[in-house]
Amino acid sequence: MLYSRGTNQTMNMLLLLLFTTSVHVVNCQRCKIIYGSFITADCRKLQLRQIPQNLSEDIDVLDLGENSFVTISNESFSRYRNLKVLKLDTCDIESVEAEAFIGLWKLEDLSLANNSLNISTNDGLFILRNIPNIIDLDFSSNMELADKTGHLLYPGAAFQHLKRLQNLTIDLYGYPVFGPEFKQLPLKYIKFKSCYLKHLKNDTFKNFPATLSEIHLSKCLSIQTSKIGVNVLRPFSSLSILDLSWTCVTLTKGLELMYPLINRTMHLVDLSHMLNPRTNKFVVPNTIILTAEMMKHLNTMCVQILILADNNIVDILPLSLFGSKHLECLEHLDLSGNRFGLSSLKYELPFFAPKLSNLRVFDFSYLALTYLDAVYMPATTNADQYHSRSHTKKKRKHNYCEGETSVNLTIPSKLEVLRITHVLGAPPFPQLTLNTITSLRYLDMSYYDIKCFPDIFLYNRDIRLEYLDISGIDCELYFKKKNLPYFPVLKELYMRDANFYRAIDKNINIFKNTPNLERLDLDSNYMYTLPSSFIMHLDHLIHLRLSENRLSHIPTAITDLPRLKTLNLKGNRIFTLYPEFTSWLDAQQVKLGYFSLQIRKNDFFCSCEYRKFVRWLNSTMVHLDNKTYYCRLSNGSLSNTNTVLMNYHVIFSNCDAFVWLRVGVILLVSFFMVLLPTIVIYNFRWRIIFFCYRKFRGIVESSLKLNYDYDVFISYGYDGYTWVLETLMEQLETKWGFRVCVEDKNFISGRSTFEQIGIAINRSRQIIFVVTSDFMSKPFATYEIDRTKEARSSRSLQNIIVIALDINIEDIPQELQSLWSDVVVIEWPRHSNDVNLALDNLKTRLLLNF
Ligand SMILES: *[C@@H]1O[C@H](CO)[C@@H](O)[C@H](O)[C@H]1NC(C)=O
Ligand SMILES: *[C@@H]1O[C@H](CO)[C@@H](O)[C@H](O)[C@H]1NC(C)=O
Ligand SMILES: *[C@@H]1O[C@H](CO)[C@@H](O)[C@H](O)[C@H]1NC(C)=O
Ligand SMILES: *[C@@H]1O[C@H](CO)[C@@H](O)[C@H](O)[C@H]1NC(C)=O
Ligand SMILES: *[C@@H]1O[C@H](CO)[C@@H](O)[C@H](O)[C@H]1NC(C)=O
Ligand SMILES: *[C@@H]1O[C@H](CO)[C@@H](O)[C@H](O)[C@H]1NC(C)=O
Ligand SMILES: *[C@@H]1O[C@H](CO)[C@@H](O)[C@H](O)[C@H]1NC(C)=O
Ligand SMILES: *[C@@H]1O[C@H](CO)[C@@H](O)[C@H](O)[C@H]1NC(C)=O
Ligand SMILES: *[C@@H]1O[C@H](CO)[C@@H](O)[C@H](O)[C@H]1NC(C)=O
Ligand SMILES: *[C@@H]1O[C@H](CO)[C@@H](O)[C@H](O)[C@H]1NC(C)=O
Ligand SMILES: *[C@@H]1O[C@H](CO)[C@@H](O)[C@H](O)[C@H]1NC(C)=O
């Protein structure tokens, strides 16, 4: 009987084959065939509308996900008798014909997730009865559009033939009915998706087999708390993994559900984020105080991984969390995202830490100290001491770190991973004596809100730390005291947002302590420079991130790093990559076979001098983060490297004229060397000098194709406003006849100030910075300085003058000092007697351009 049916089918199949190949032209790209220990056909996302019938009959794995089949017709797969894995997820399947899945005798793994099938109807029946050897079935997310109430019947009759089914992923909604047939299934793993379960009663799962060891009942958002039976997990006598995360029944109920699991050994209990869904953002979620009573079931269990994250726990009372009879079972404890303070544990932790003898991972992140801590913290007594002391020693008041007692933090002896990131309002630890830190490999304490960095006492040779994240902690807190120990095997160091520029200013090289780094992250540290001595000894460095800083040059020491493979310079102020550097990059790419360079969001300059960089972008094999970058042309307007490349010869046609600039300048200067003494001797008027100078300069500049709109651009802070507009402008414009550009007079509103500054500086011969003490607080100050640097290096700007108006030369801001080698500084006199002398000085400087 069976046999004759089989031959019949073969006939049908052959006919079908002829039919489909000759008539239906399936418009698609080819499936990818991958030969390995299995033959895999990858037809994902090919916009198929029919099951392909021309693939090899031998394929073991067929992935048809993310196509659009709508209906699966009879004998669609009968050709592929070898098939073990079939993926039909996200295929818009709405119905399945009776014999659609026939022939899949060997199928072990089937995914039908994210379609529109109804397992309670014939569809479910047709599929299930034809795949008797299935082990792993995913029938989930098929009810997305359906109304999620009512009784959902799982067809027990169809399921009972699946004698090998172990993994089942399925939807759960309304009032599900699992028939007695389920008891016979050899199920091990069940995951409920699209869970809209209403009641979680004692008998909901009563027909599930005792073999189940893993249950995922997460994200069930509609369970009515009053309809929860505490015995619901009773049928699962060999449960090892329980995931109730994001199921909104509150942690308190979740802990009650542990009742049938008393005295059990579990691998994982995930009770994270069990908050009630917030219907309204003003509703304050329930707070939870863990008590010994709540934890009484859990505390009898031996749990390896316990996750209690994101539950709005505001306090932990004695003998609750650490009242467990089996603390030695705990290997991974996640308490992140709650609101209790570290001080809640201050008394308990030292006591119980030795008992947590197998704890390897401790996650304590995203905590914020709450008002409750005021009660449990020894704040009152300490504060009293503090005040009485502050009478005798006033200085203490400013130094938060002093006056606190040191803490001996006992770390569980096998702890390897400690995450205490984003902790707010933690008590200070002025001194940490870590006795048993030897096992710690991973420490993430980024954005840990501390006012003083602890003195860490430990023996150097014992430090096995490989990963350290101290981002968001001001590096001044530790480099001052030089209390970062020596890390012999540290491989990854993250120091973002750490104000690292301060360490550079003070020349304190903390990387001396980390000679074996492979990854260094210094994102967002306001760095203007990174001295060679800081990183040149890091021979093992592979990844370096310097993004979001203020570098205008690439730190030279980078070329001393032999193993560097990725370099991130995004968001700096780099205006070009010099040929020495690009050739090093190319060499690294050849040597290591890969180099990744990120340089988006910089201030590149596409001028004659830097055209080599633009060409390099066109030719290099180095992996860049973008094919084109914004860059500024020599006339100040914004373009991008792609456009520049396409018009390369037009834009750079008169570059060589720049060689003549030097000749011109030399000629000009020599001319005045001769003319000036003569004029001075004969007491000629300045006007004649101006006249000659202008004429001559005009000739030189027009032959160089340089043209300017202004003689002088003036940059000034708010305090300099009156002086510039009333005194200086009067001198320059009216008396001396210069064409002057100042922001407050020449800029038009409505256009980007950044752009106008760029253009103005590029179209001015000279620039005068009128520096007052508030100069750097002006929003565009750094930008003007950067533009000046660029204009200077492209030689369009001939002269930079700094007038120190109300400050001393040594107080001139750092940023301006970076132009030092190029500028003339005039300290403006405070007595009116000396002003004429200063004016003469200024006039000469403006005229002579040096
Ligand atoms: C199968 O048929 C389709 C459409 O006729 C064609 O595009 C594709 O290349 C064929 N694949 C193989 C493996 O022959
Ligand atoms: C598919 O097979 C079933 C059972 O053999 C048959 O009743 C049905 O008509 C077939 N469907 C089509 C479209 O041939
Ligand atoms: C499910 O299908 C929808 C469209 O049918 C798609 O947008 C979504 O990404 C799919 N989800 C998954 C998890 O594949
Ligand atoms: C699925 O089929 C059952 C039985 O026919 C029916 O009661 C239920 O409403 C169907 N569900 C959906 C979402 O169509
Ligand atoms: C069942 O699921 C578990 C967990 O996802 C997985 O580790 C296991 O390999 C699966 N078993 C089969 C037979 O697919
Ligand atoms: C569920 O089982 C518990 C423990 O056996 C029992 O106290 C409770 O009354 C039962 N709930 C219902 C609704 O039967
Ligand atoms: C759990 O173990 C304790 C002590 O080992 C025992 O007294 C208690 O009866 C056990 N409870 C259950 C429900 O097995
Ligand atoms: C810390 O431990 C050291 C030695 O183990 C001991 O001398 C010191 O008194 C302890 N400090 C505190 C505050 O317990
Ligand atoms: C690449 O740069 C161009 C302009 O230079 C920009 O429009 C584009 O968004 C950038 N692409 C990425 C992925 O950043
Ligand atoms: C700058 O030069 C480019 C090309 O040489 C030109 O397209 C652009 O309009 C110029 N911009 C200004 C502001 O002159
Ligand atoms: C950019 O590269 C292409 C192809 O390698 C080449 O044809 C073109 O001339 C290059 N452009 C410049 C400006 O070098």
Side-chain angles (χ1 to χ4, degrees):
M1 171 65 189
L2 238 169
Y3 182 75
S4 72
R5 218 180 127 191
T7 46
N8 220 347
Q9 261 168 27
T10 326
M11 287 293 287
N12 275 352
M13 188 195 75
L14 282 173
L15 281 174
L16 194 83
L17 199 74
L18 278 173
F19 187 69
T20 42
T21 43
S22 57
V23 179
H24 293 270
V25 181
V26 184
N27 194 12
C28 73
Q29 295 132 295
R30 276 165 160 267
C31 300
K32 237 189 300 171
I33 311 290
I34 303 152
Y35 295 91
S37 49
F38 292 110
I39 308 174
T40 303
D42 179 359
C43 311
R44 241 188 144 75
K45 282 196 199 177
L46 293 180
Q47 290 162 351
L48 300 177
R49 303 195 158 271
Q50 248 125 34
I51 310 292
Q53 296 298 333
N54 56 357
L55 301 170
S56 154
E57 290 184 18
D58 301 331
I59 52 172
D60 301 289
V61 180
L62 177 55
D63 186 348
L64 292 167
E66 298 181 67
N67 288 295
S68 179
F69 298 120
V70 187
T71 307
I72 307 284
S73 40
N74 280 346
E75 312 209 15
S76 282
F77 303 100
S78 50
R79 176 183 166 81
Y80 306 115
R81 287 167 179 278
N82 247 340
L83 219 51
K84 292 182 189 65
V85 179
L86 175 59
K87 296 210 180 302
L88 285 166
D89 50 297
T90 317
C91 283
D92 303 328
I93 304 173
E94 285 167 7
S95 64
V96 171
E97 285 182 11
E99 305 292 307
F101 281 76
I102 200 131
L104 292 172
W105 305 109
K106 291 193 179 164
L107 197 67
E108 294 180 348
D109 184 345
L110 172 64
S111 170
L112 286 159
N114 207 12
N115 289 298
S116 309
L117 294 168
N118 183 346
I119 198 164
S120 304
T121 61
N122 278 339
D123 292 337
L125 199 69
F126 294 159
I127 296 166
L128 297 177
R129 74 168 180 216
N130 285 315
I131 49 168
N133 285 312
I134 197 81
I135 298 176
D136 197 329
L137 175 64
D138 186 348
F139 211 106
S140 64
S141 308
N142 268 289
M143 298 293 183
E144 293 304 350
L145 298 175
D147 110 64
K148 290 171 171 116
T149 53
H151 289 260
L152 182 60
L153 265 159
Y154 295 87
F159 269 102
Q160 71 180 341
H161 299 295
L162 309 182
K163 292 276 184 264
R164 298 177 63 197
L165 187 64
Q166 286 184 6
N167 285 6
L168 179 61
T169 307
I170 203 162
D171 295 330
L172 190 61
Y173 70 92
Y175 311 95
V177 182
F178 294 97
E181 301 86 354
F182 277 84
K183 254 205 148 57
Q184 311 309 320
L185 297 179
L187 277 177
K188 290 211 170 113
Y189 162 108
I190 192 157
K191 178 164 187 162
F192 297 109
K193 272 209 187 163
S194 304
C195 177
Y196 289 88
L197 193 67
K198 288 262 158 39
H199 292 179
L200 202 53
K201 294 198 286 203
N202 279 352
D203 58 358
T204 302
F205 300 126
K206 70 166 192 269
N207 285 328
F208 272 99
T211 50
L212 261 171
S213 66
E214 183 167 349
I215 295 185
H216 295 264
L217 192 65
S218 67
K219 298 195 183 131
C220 299
L221 304 179
S222 324
I223 297 177
Q224 293 160 359
T225 322
S226 57
K227 296 287 164 63
I228 296 178
V230 291
N231 246 338
V232 64
L233 298 175
R234 175 71 68 195
F236 308 115
S237 53
S238 32
L239 199 63
S240 169
I241 295 178
L242 174 64
D243 175 7
L244 290 171
S245 59
W246 292 85
T247 285
C248 298
V249 297
T250 75
L251 179 64
T252 317
K253 278 280 169 201
L255 288 169
E256 275 175 31
L257 293 181
M258 300 298 119
Y259 166 64
L261 307 178
I262 285 175
N263 287 358
R264 293 275 192 83
T265 298
M266 301 274 291
H267 178 61
L268 179 145
V269 175
D270 186 348
L271 300 176
S272 59
H273 205 105
M274 298 191 76
L275 304 175
N276 280 322
R278 291 225 244 153
T279 44
N280 160 352
K281 70 177 170 185
F282 299 110
V283 177
V284 182
N286 289 331
T287 56
I288 286 185
I289 297 175
L290 278 190
T291 63
E293 171 66 18
M294 283 162 72
M295 299 287 287
K296 71 181 177 201
H297 307 318
L298 191 63
N299 279 346
T300 64
M301 294 159 62
C302 169
V303 182
Q304 275 174 355
I305 304 176
L306 178 60
I307 304 176
L308 296 173
D310 289 316
N311 272 308
N312 215 7
I313 301 174
V314 295
D315 200 17
I316 292 178
L317 296 188
L319 291 176
S320 56
L321 185 60
F322 296 112
S324 169
K325 296 187 178 59
H326 300 284
L327 279 179
E328 77 285 352
C329 294
L330 212 53
E331 288 180 12
H332 180 144
L333 179 57
D334 185 348
L335 294 172
S336 57
N338 285 299
R339 294 206 287 133
F340 61 90
L342 198 54
S343 45
S344 296
L345 300 181
K346 203 165 172 179
Y347 299 115
E348 285 210 73
L349 204 54
F351 201 61
F352 290 105
K355 288 195 189 164
L356 291 165
S357 52
N358 286 309
L359 195 68
R360 294 199 164 83
V361 182
F362 189 31
D363 191 336
F364 207 75
S365 318
Y366 297 92
L367 296 188
L369 202 76
T370 58
Y371 65 95
L372 273 166
D373 288 291
V375 181
Y376 294 103
M377 222 170 59
T380 44
T381 53
N382 257 4
D384 289 345
Q385 287 168 2
Y386 187 82
H387 282 299
S388 61
R389 270 191 226 152
S390 67
H391 284 298
T392 49
K393 251 191 182 179
K394 270 221 162 87
K395 225 177 147 199
R396 285 254 164 88
K397 213 161 195 170
H398 302 286
N399 199 338
Y400 186 72
C401 303
E402 285 175 41
E404 286 285 336
T405 47
S406 69
V407 173
N408 282 359
L409 199 68
T410 323
I411 286 187
S413 58
K414 288 190 187 159
L415 198 69
E416 287 174 13
V417 177
L418 181 58
R419 280 189 73 220
I420 44 174
T421 131
H422 294 88
V423 176
L424 277 176
F429 285 133
Q431 279 189 0
L432 266 187
T433 311
L434 302 173
N435 305 322
T436 52
I437 200 178
T438 49
S439 59
L440 202 64
R441 288 176 209 291
Y442 177 108
L443 173 60
D444 180 355
M445 55 185 293
S446 54
Y447 302 94
Y448 191 94
D449 177 36
I450 39 172
K451 305 284 185 304
C452 54
F453 201 83
D455 286 313
I456 302 176
F457 293 109
L458 27 67
Y459 297 108
N460 286 342
R461 63 188 157 79
D462 287 341
I463 302 181
R464 300 275 152 73
L465 210 62
E466 288 168 15
Y467 178 107
L468 178 62
D469 190 342
I470 41 177
S471 303
I473 299 175
D474 193 333
C475 70
E476 208 166 27
L477 293 174
Y478 44 89
F479 77 63
K480 257 201 226 153
K481 294 193 275 178
K482 300 207 167 75
N483 53 1
L484 264 201
Y486 185 79
F487 294 107
V489 293
L490 194 69
K491 292 204 170 71
E492 299 187 36
L493 176 60
Y494 296 82
M495 286 180 60
R496 303 176 181 197
D497 284 319
N499 292 337
F500 191 67
Y501 73 97
R502 293 188 180 157
I504 293 173
D505 279 355
K506 303 237 164 65
N507 200 21
I508 296 171
N509 180 5
I510 59 179
F511 305 132
K512 274 201 187 120
N513 288 346
T514 60
N516 288 311
L517 277 189
E518 289 176 6
R519 183 187 291 273
L520 176 60
D521 190 339
L522 292 171
D523 179 275
S524 306
N525 273 302
Y526 303 102
M527 294 191 294
Y528 282 94
T529 170
L530 181 58
S532 295
S533 57
F534 276 57
I535 55 169
M536 59 189 295
H537 62 288
L538 299 175
D539 288 341
H540 301 276
L541 204 64
I542 300 172
H543 311 282
L544 178 60
R545 180 170 169 147
L546 300 171
S547 47
E548 309 300 337
N549 281 294
R550 295 185 175 166
L551 302 170
S552 56
H553 291 93
I554 290 167
T556 48
I558 286 178
T559 53
D560 294 331
L561 304 171
R563 300 196 192 170
L564 200 70
K565 265 186 161 177
T566 69
L567 175 61
N568 188 341
L569 293 165
K570 212 180 93 201
N572 279 286
R573 295 173 182 171
I574 293 165
F575 52 89
T576 193
L577 306 186
Y578 287 104
E580 303 86 68
F581 187 67
T582 54
S583 51
W584 178 80
L585 289 173
D586 288 333
Q588 287 295 96
Q589 165 75 28
V590 171
K591 188 171 87 182
L592 305 171
Y594 179 83
F595 196 99
S596 155
L597 178 68
Q598 280 161 275
I599 45 174
R600 281 191 314 123
K601 289 167 68 190
N602 275 291
D603 294 342
F604 289 119
F605 209 67
C606 289
S607 66
C608 285
E609 275 208 313
Y610 307 132
R611 61 193 149 151
K612 277 195 181 147
F613 165 62
V614 181
R615 288 191 85 141
W616 177 78
L617 285 178
N618 190 34
S619 64
T620 185
M621 299 299 286
V622 167
H623 297 253
L624 297 166
D625 54 342
N626 197 340
K627 291 222 156 49
T628 101
Y629 300 96
Y630 290 113
C631 73
R632 211 166 274 282
L633 300 176
S634 31
N635 65 9
S637 63
L638 200 59
S639 182
N640 66 57
T641 54
N642 218 11
T643 318
V644 171
L645 264 174
M646 285 192 290
N647 305 302
Y648 191 84
H649 296 290
V650 180
I651 291 173
F652 298 127
S653 60
N654 50 19
C655 280
D656 295 327
F658 273 80
V659 177
W660 291 100
L661 183 67
R662 277 180 213 171
V663 179
V665 169
I666 291 167
L667 270 177
L668 197 67
V669 170
S670 342
F671 172 74
F672 276 92
M673 287 308 204
V674 177
L675 195 64
L676 195 66
T678 330
I679 291 166
V680 170
I681 290 163
Y682 288 100
N683 202 11
F684 275 131
R685 311 196 118 232
W686 281 102
R687 219 171 291 166
I688 298 173
I689 305 181
F690 273 89
F691 179 76
C692 298
Y693 169 72
R694 289 230 175 88
K695 279 286 170 235
F696 193 83
R697 189 181 56 191
I699 295 166
V700 172
E701 282 176 358
S702 69
S703 73
L704 293 175
K705 298 202 172 73
L706 287 171
N707 52 56
Y708 296 100
D709 294 343
Y710 307 107
D711 293 309
V712 187
F713 177 82
I714 307 178
S715 161
Y716 50 94
Y718 298 116
D719 286 353
Y721 178 84
T722 335
W723 186 78
V724 167
L725 266 83
E726 287 171 9
T727 313
L728 190 61
M729 292 277 288
E730 162 83 9
Q731 276 296 340
L732 293 176
E733 274 190 340
T734 324
K735 298 214 172 126
W736 299 342
F738 283 106
R739 283 167 299 164
V740 181
C741 176
V742 293
E743 184 184 331
D744 289 284
K745 274 181 65 182
N746 300 63
F747 284 12
I748 43 180
S749 57
R751 284 180 65 190
S752 148
T753 311
F754 280 111
E755 199 181 337
Q756 294 196 60
I757 289 173
I759 291 173
I761 292 180
N762 278 295
R763 306 206 134 250
S764 301
R765 263 193 198 88
Q766 334 202 15
I767 181 163
I768 299 179
F769 287 98
V770 177
V771 183
T772 45
S773 45
D774 70 336
F775 184 76
M776 287 317 295
S777 60
K778 160 190 179 184
F780 297 105
T782 29
Y783 185 72
E784 285 173 356
I785 293 169
D786 286 347
R787 285 277 87 82
T788 304
K789 277 187 211 165
E790 276 179 26
R792 183 67 184 166
S793 53
S794 72
R795 304 252 170 92
S796 69
L797 192 67
Q798 297 179 5
N799 200 9
I800 304 170
I801 296 173
V802 172
I803 296 179
L805 191 59
D806 67 356
I807 59 173
N808 297 325
I809 290 187
E810 54 272 19
D811 297 332
I812 285 176
Q814 280 275 325
E815 291 82 355
L816 267 173
Q817 289 183 15
S818 62
L819 291 167
W820 233 212
S821 61
D822 278 340
V823 300
V824 168
V825 183
I826 300 175
E827 204 168 0
W828 207 255
R830 304 197 177 170
H831 293 292
S832 50
N833 298 350
D834 304 332
V835 165
N836 279 338
L837 215 68
L839 279 174
D840 279 348
N841 189 0
L842 178 63
K843 188 157 61 177
T844 318
R845 299 297 182 186
L846 285 171
L847 276 177
L848 289 188
N849 289 358
F850 66 80

